[in-house]
Amino acid sequence: MYCKRTLICTSFRYMLAKGTKRKFSEHEDGLEGKVSCGHGPSKVSYTLQRQAIFNISIMKLYQQQPLMEPSLKKTVLINNMLRRIQEELKREGNLRPVFIAPSQSSDTLNDNYRDVQPAFNHFASPPAQVTSTTPPDLCLTPASVLEEDAFSSCHTVTLGPSKPQNHLQKDTFSSALDEIEELCPSSTTTDSKISREQSSEGGNEKPEEVQENRPSETRFADPLPGNFEITTTSFLTDLTLDDILFADIDTSMYDFDPCASATGPSSKMTAVTADDILKTLSPYSSQSVTPSQPFKMDLAELDHIMEVLVGS
Amino acid sequence: MRRAGSCGSDVQWCFTQVKGTTDLDVSEADIISTVEFNHTGELLATGDKGGRVVIFQREQETKNQPHRQGEYNVYSTFQSHEPEFDYLKSLEIEEKINKIRWLPQQNAAHFLLSTNDKTIKLWKVSERDKRPEGYNLKDEEGRMKDLSTVTVLQVPVLKPMDLMVEVTPRKIFANAHTYHINSISVNSDCETYMSADDLRINLWHLGITDRSFNIVDIKPVDMEELTEVITAAEFHPHHCNLLVYSSSKGTLRLCDMRAAALCDKHAKLFEEPEDPSNRFFFSEITSSVSDVKFSHSGRYMMTRDYLTVKVWDLNMETKPIEIYQIHDYLRSKLCSLYENDCIFDKFECAWNGSDRLLLNSDFTIPFKPGFPEYS
């Protein structure tokens, strides 16, 4: 019996580059060469793969076509992937504990600070570099985390109509907020209030969707076991969000134009606000800090903070 | 190019025609994004990324070669959608045609619905093979005659002319979707149809463009809690009150519009329980349903996800009755496919006319032979 309908079948594919057909390259290194996909892998390869997938997911969320609305389905699926990885890490106990063992010497602590790598600072790096140490002045303080993307966007977020770049910046800002939120349980409501303000200023669905990333990015330091993910953020536990974000930032040093694009003025803003942040932080940590120096914490200070947290 | 392969005892497949170009470099606008036969199979409509629709018509079977299947030739081409710009969000709206659906034919003309991300349009495709000649006041070119030359009154007569296919937009259904439209489906009552985007499904009347009714809304109050989107939707072929929609988590929800105005509560939920031993990183992404189709009988549904085709019985919600692995060899390559976005590709599926064969689209080979008989 012949099939009555003669079908002309097509493949439904979306091209990545204009005008070229996408081919699955046999020589593509990918990740399969290094790890297997979940069928009895060793713990390390599983962890490496998970980290790689995490990095890829972060990259995907940031690689959005400038003028086109991103696919909501794709965004949701990537976010779910990130969330799942985060939950897995949480279950494995790899998230940073707030307390540190008092027997740790300050040298060891400093080493740990150097090892800590906020995930989204390194989302562009290949998986193999996950465990490498980075220059100390790159990954030390929450301010250095905040300064890169967040505070340059802090002011652009509040201004004018939301442009596609703002979504990217809003996201990192809210992820930075989330990191701080984690340290300050009392300020949770403030954080969500701020993010609601952001989304209402954005005035459309997109920032809300992009802000879903928040939980995932900031919670990952080094996933390998045996690494203390004690970060310098622990010293911020007695701070509230308001203290950090809105305390005495000198805005007179730069002017911000609502219609300016993100490149020129904001890069200037970045440099300025980072300094400001660190200066505002200094009263709380009772140390004078400059952006270039590694953050050193007195052991006594840490003990004090521990006591505050433990409530003893 | 003709190639014959056989699968099963009574089905033979022939690769009959290739339309378009087989060059490696094609312009992006020419990429076909959707394909749809009409109900008789006489017409085939294709939509592309440039917003154009090309309709092919099967040539009549001749007496000389009754067994040979008619070839398809271009019947009509028209520009359905144009690129637009959303000034409020500063975003482009793609003109790519996401779906085409033919209306059941009720007179000599054919009607089809085509949609891009935001706007649905109803087109009338009609033939003109006669035209009136012999007007009293106008000459053949349409210019007004000099009245002094008119001495006799004549009645215009219809004379045959070369076949002309006219495609005219009859209705434009716009501004009803915040998110990207992924499906449209005409109801069996032939009066209404639905359009589904990522989070909402709207019900339209084919004759009314300025309002639609929202029948499904899965948007959470807090968008940060969003974990699931609608991926496809279809009306039941016989029961005008039943519709099904699929989600990115691999679930199917059958809704009865008689139950409530807003069908957020499903009448039936079809979900295959997850096998915890078989879970891997990309379980959720590969389980996202890209297409759902009712069988012509209305008893079964077919779903397509990234790696499988599943057939469901409407009477059994707990698991599908058949599962076909499409390209299981890709399971070990999912990481790369995730990296280059291939894993988000959408595939479609279809039942043949007698519901005996399942067909699906794939990217590796032109088509896949039908599955074992299914009735």
Side-chain angles (χ1 to χ4, degrees):
Chain A
M1 177 184 125
Y2 287 91
C3 179
K4 287 271 179 194
R5 293 183 188 178
T6 309
L7 286 180
I8 302 165
C9 292
T10 56
S11 57
F12 302 89
R13 292 159 55 171
Y14 300 98
M15 288 194 175
L16 294 177
K18 278 195 183 329
T20 50
K21 282 193 177 166
R22 187 183 56 194
K23 284 183 166 15
F24 176 64
S25 163
E26 292 297 330
H27 303 289
E28 199 171 72
D29 203 17
L31 302 153
E32 281 80 34
K34 294 174 191 158
V35 298
S36 62
C37 269
H39 293 295
S42 67
K43 171 71 178 159
V44 173
S45 67
Y46 178 82
T47 314
L48 276 177
Q49 187 187 32
R50 184 173 58 193
Q51 180 64 39
I53 292 172
F54 171 77
N55 290 342
I56 294 170
S57 306
I58 296 284
M59 268 177 67
K60 281 190 181 308
L61 286 174
Y62 283 92
Q63 265 173 16
Q64 291 172 7
Q65 283 178 284
L67 281 178
M68 298 283 300
E69 209 167 348
S71 157
L72 183 61
K73 177 186 105 172
K74 196 170 142 186
T75 309
V76 164
L77 288 172
I78 296 172
N79 278 333
N80 289 351
M81 174 78 85
L82 288 169
R83 253 186 222 143
R84 227 174 308 127
I85 295 179
Q86 175 198 351
E87 276 160 20
E88 228 176 68
L89 288 174
K90 236 184 205 160
R91 269 198 307 270
E92 291 174 9
N94 269 341
L95 286 183
R96 51 176 170 263
V98 185
F99 314 113
I100 40 172
S103 57
Q104 290 264 340
S105 71
S106 48
D107 286 337
T108 319
L109 282 173
N110 289 337
D111 287 337
N112 288 336
Y113 294 160
R114 273 191 283 276
D115 283 340
V116 162
Q117 303 162 34
F120 60 83
N121 276 343
H122 296 273
F123 63 77
S125 64
Q129 286 183 14
V130 159
T131 58
S132 63
T133 54
T134 56
D137 50 355
L138 270 190
C139 57
L140 296 173
T141 66
S144 72
V145 160
L146 296 173
E147 86 183 29
E148 197 172 345
D149 297 312
F151 277 90
S152 63
S153 67
C154 172
H155 300 282
T156 44
V157 160
T158 57
L159 309 170
S162 63
K163 293 188 183 166
Q165 300 100 315
N166 285 353
H167 300 300
L168 172 70
Q169 291 158 352
K170 268 181 211 168
D171 180 52
T172 51
F173 177 52
S174 51
S175 64
L177 277 181
D178 197 59
E179 184 165 12
I180 299 171
E181 176 205 352
E182 211 194 9
L183 311 163
C184 326
S186 58
S187 62
T188 330
T189 51
T190 321
D191 177 50
S192 52
K193 195 157 50 119
I194 288 174
S195 55
R196 269 202 292 282
E197 282 167 12
Q198 289 173 3
S199 49
S200 65
E201 274 154 358
N204 56 28
E205 315 288 352
K206 270 197 66 189
E208 295 171 303
E209 295 151 24
V210 177
Q211 273 171 16
E212 291 174 63
N213 297 328
R214 287 196 298 141
S216 39
E217 296 155 350
T218 61
R219 307 251 164 103
F220 304 128
D222 198 333
L224 286 190
N227 238 32
F228 271 91
E229 284 121 357
I230 314 301
T231 67
T232 54
T233 56
S234 55
F235 72 90
L236 285 177
T237 49
D238 50 349
L239 299 177
T240 65
L241 270 173
D242 284 334
D243 294 328
I244 300 170
L245 295 177
F246 302 111
D248 299 331
I249 296 177
D250 182 11
T251 60
S252 63
M253 289 153 78
Y254 49 86
D255 57 329
F256 40 92
D257 182 6
C259 300
S261 72
T263 47
S266 56
S267 52
K268 197 174 66 168
M269 280 196 276
T270 309
V272 169
T273 51
D275 289 341
D276 285 332
I277 300 307
L278 288 172
K279 280 179 197 146
T280 59
L281 289 171
S282 54
Y284 302 103
S285 59
S286 67
Q287 297 182 25
S288 64
V289 291
T290 63
S292 55
Q293 283 180 6
F295 223 110
K296 291 192 168 61
M297 177 69 72
D298 215 4
L299 192 57
E301 287 271 337
L302 285 164
D303 277 345
H304 167 69
I305 289 165
M306 246 191 68
E307 282 166 12
V308 165
L309 292 165
V310 171
S312 57
Chain B
M1 175 173 124
R2 279 180 179 273
R3 203 169 58 198
S6 72
C7 163
S9 54
D10 56 349
V11 177
Q12 284 197 1
W13 292 89
C14 307
F15 194 19
T16 303
Q17 268 184 290
V18 176
K19 287 293 186 192
T21 174
T22 48
D23 290 343
L24 290 179
D25 278 332
V26 294
S27 72
E28 181 137 356
D30 289 335
I31 299 169
I32 293 175
S33 48
T34 187
V35 178
E36 184 79 1
F37 276 105
N38 75 336
H39 297 278
T40 59
E42 181 206 351
L43 297 174
L44 173 66
T46 63
D48 63 21
K49 279 185 101 175
R52 286 175 306 235
V53 172
V54 180
I55 304 177
F56 300 89
Q57 183 188 40
R58 186 173 59 197
E59 64 187 25
Q60 304 298 322
E61 289 176 17
T62 61
K63 289 187 196 131
N64 299 338
Q65 293 173 302
H67 297 301
R68 180 186 154 135
Q69 293 302 306
E71 297 227 329
Y72 282 81
N73 303 310
V74 176
Y75 181 64
S76 175
T77 304
F78 61 96
Q79 186 76 31
S80 170
H81 286 74
E82 298 278 0
E84 285 168 18
F85 195 77
D86 183 344
Y87 295 99
L88 210 58
K89 297 185 193 177
S90 293
L91 292 170
E92 282 181 2
I93 299 174
E94 261 194 309
E95 68 274 30
K96 169 169 73 81
I97 308 294
N98 291 337
K99 277 284 168 358
I100 293 175
R101 289 286 182 263
W102 291 91
L103 268 57
Q105 195 176 7
Q106 287 169 336
N107 51 37
H110 295 95
F111 287 87
L112 64 84
L113 288 167
S114 66
T115 182
N116 68 348
D117 284 338
K118 297 286 183 184
T119 306
I120 306 138
K121 294 189 183 180
L122 177 68
W123 296 89
K124 177 179 176 184
V125 184
S126 51
E127 288 182 5
R128 190 196 289 272
D129 60 356
K130 297 182 190 48
R131 66 175 185 160
E133 283 180 22
Y135 282 106
N136 290 294
L137 296 177
K138 286 190 281 189
D139 63 16
E140 298 305 313
E141 280 81 40
R143 288 188 297 253
M144 293 297 290
K145 277 184 189 172
D146 184 2
L147 286 178
S148 57
T149 62
V150 177
T151 52
V152 145
L153 274 182
Q154 58 184 350
V155 176
V157 293
L158 290 173
K159 295 259 173 76
M161 60 180 257
D162 290 337
L163 178 66
M164 197 169 73
V165 179
E166 288 180 329
V167 182
T168 49
R170 303 300 289 193
K171 295 271 187 278
I172 296 179
F173 306 90
N175 300 323
H177 286 278
T178 309
Y179 304 98
H180 292 176
I181 297 175
N182 52 56
S183 311
I184 47 177
S185 176
V186 184
N187 205 346
S188 50
D189 62 10
C190 299
E191 283 188 358
T192 57
Y193 77 96
M194 70 159 147
S195 56
D197 66 26
D198 293 317
L199 296 178
R200 296 192 178 102
I201 300 180
N202 292 335
L203 183 70
W204 301 83
H205 189 282
L206 281 164
I208 299 172
T209 59
D210 61 356
R211 84 189 79 152
S212 68
F213 293 96
N214 177 239
I215 51 176
V216 173
D217 188 344
I218 64 168
K219 179 171 186 260
V221 169
D222 184 5
M223 279 295 276
E224 292 167 23
E225 292 166 5
L226 179 66
T227 56
E228 196 174 8
V229 298
I230 298 172
T231 50
E234 204 190 29
F235 269 120
H236 192 278
H238 307 310
H239 303 298
C240 56
N241 54 294
L242 288 180
L243 63 102
V244 70
Y245 68 90
S246 61
S247 79
S248 56
K249 287 198 170 168
T251 62
L252 294 172
R253 284 176 173 83
L254 188 73
C255 297
D256 191 335
M257 291 199 292
R258 298 172 299 187
L262 192 60
C263 300
D264 278 358
K265 271 185 73 177
H266 52 262
K268 291 199 179 192
L269 174 67
F270 299 83
E271 188 174 15
E272 192 182 10
E274 202 180 13
D275 180 8
S277 64
N278 207 18
R279 220 177 154 280
F280 51 99
F281 279 118
F282 303 101
S283 291
E284 188 190 333
I285 298 182
T286 56
S287 72
S288 169
V289 174
S290 54
D291 195 16
V292 61
K293 290 272 170 43
F294 278 104
S295 66
H296 291 92
S297 62
R299 164 114 188 239
Y300 304 102
M301 292 184 296
M302 167 164 54
T303 58
R304 174 74 156 102
D305 54 46
Y306 194 72
L307 295 173
T308 68
V309 166
K310 295 177 181 165
V311 181
W312 303 78
D313 188 327
L314 249 63
N315 300 321
M316 185 161 79
E317 301 166 67
T318 49
K319 60 186 172 98
I321 47 179
E322 299 282 357
I323 301 177
Y324 301 98
Q325 305 290 338
I326 303 296
H327 29 234
D328 213 36
Y329 56 88
L330 289 179
R331 235 177 244 276
S332 57
K333 304 207 183 333
L334 289 175
C335 284
S336 299
L337 294 169
Y338 180 62
E339 201 171 1
N340 64 17
D341 278 352
C342 284
I343 209 173
F344 298 108
D345 280 353
K346 293 206 307 190
F347 296 102
E348 295 194 7
C349 55
W351 299 84
N352 84 326
S354 56
D355 286 349
R356 294 181 69 219
L357 294 172
L358 312 176
L359 297 143
N360 89 104
S361 66
D362 201 351
F363 54 71
T364 52
I365 49 179
F367 61 87
K368 201 149 171 70
F371 301 91
E373 258 183 55
Y374 194 85
S375 59

